[in-house]
Amino acid sequence: MKSQNKIKSITQRKQASNKSSDLQKLYSERIERFMALVELSYALKTAPRIIQKK
């Protein structure tokens, strides 16, 4: 009986750690996307302008 409880608790911990690692992966991916947008925004804001004269 105790061994079954231990196995259940171990599988529950593994599932919880899998969920947290999945969330960490998602979080880091979204942070990377956000930082790419910030970098692009800064590059566009500070880029030299081309002025066309008529």
Side-chain angles (χ1 to χ4, degrees):
M1 191 71 168
K2 287 185 178 182
S3 63
Q4 289 178 350
N5 288 338
K6 286 183 182 180
I7 292 172
K8 286 181 183 178
S9 67
I10 289 172
T11 55
Q12 288 174 351
R13 277 189 249 147
K14 284 184 180 179
Q15 288 174 349
S17 68
N18 285 344
K19 286 181 184 178
S20 64
S21 67
D22 290 343
L23 287 175
Q24 287 176 346
K25 288 177 187 175
L26 181 65
Y27 178 76
S28 64
E29 181 180 325
R30 289 188 177 178
I31 288 291
E32 287 177 8
R33 287 183 185 181
F34 175 74
M35 293 308 294
L37 284 173
V38 168
E39 186 177 352
L40 178 62
S41 174
Y42 179 78
L44 290 173
K45 183 179 179 181
T46 59
R49 304 286 185 243
I50 300 174
I51 300 173
Q52 294 179 349
K53 296 181 179 178
K54 292 184 179 180

